[in-house]
Amino acid sequence: MRTTKHDYSRGNPMHARALFRLTFANPVSAVYLGIVGASIVFEAAVATYGDPGFVGVWPFLLTAPASLLFAMVGMRIGGPDAVSYWFLAGGVVVSALVQAFVLGALTETLRGRLRRTATR
């Protein structure tokens, strides 16, 4: 039996580092996560001290379209009236992380293409 250099059963730490770098350490992703985080903090502050009105919509809209998918799944599972606030809040957080990763990957791809064209 051949042994390989990489043991994928324990996970490859390089993949975890790349995932972390693309999601959090990229400037575009960090700004996006900062804006979403600030909107969530602002929503919590307004809801604590007064009537939130439409303030709660902003985190949901900032993380659309992925947050819309979570809302649709929640309505499909429990019905329109049974969608939990915690399910939607978790959907906003997961949506923000997924979209930050996509923004980071897109930024790295565009930077790579710009570097290749600049060296020609």
Side-chain angles (χ1 to χ4, degrees):
M1 178 174 230
R2 278 176 58 187
T3 60
T4 60
K5 184 178 178 182
H6 301 289
D7 183 13
Y8 293 108
S9 64
R10 291 182 297 198
N12 191 343
M14 190 60 169
H15 294 300
R17 275 189 247 135
L19 182 68
F20 181 82
R21 181 179 50 82
L22 290 175
T23 306
F24 298 106
N26 191 330
V28 175
S29 300
V31 167
Y32 173 73
L33 288 174
I35 291 171
V36 171
S39 73
I40 291 171
V41 168
F42 182 70
E43 175 193 2
V46 169
T48 301
Y49 296 111
D51 181 29
F54 284 105
V55 173
V57 173
W58 285 107
F60 193 72
L61 291 177
L62 287 171
T63 57
S67 59
L68 297 174
L69 293 174
F70 274 95
M72 288 182 353
V73 167
M75 284 188 216
R76 205 58 145 150
I77 292 172
D81 297 331
V83 178
S84 162
Y85 170 76
W86 294 108
F87 183 80
L88 291 177
V92 166
V93 170
V94 170
S95 299
L97 292 174
V98 167
Q99 291 180 173
F101 170 74
V102 170
L103 281 171
L106 182 64
T107 303
E108 288 296 315
T109 301
L110 291 176
R111 282 184 184 166
R113 285 186 182 174
L114 289 175
R115 282 186 205 128
R116 281 194 296 271
T117 13
T119 58
R120 288 183 187 177

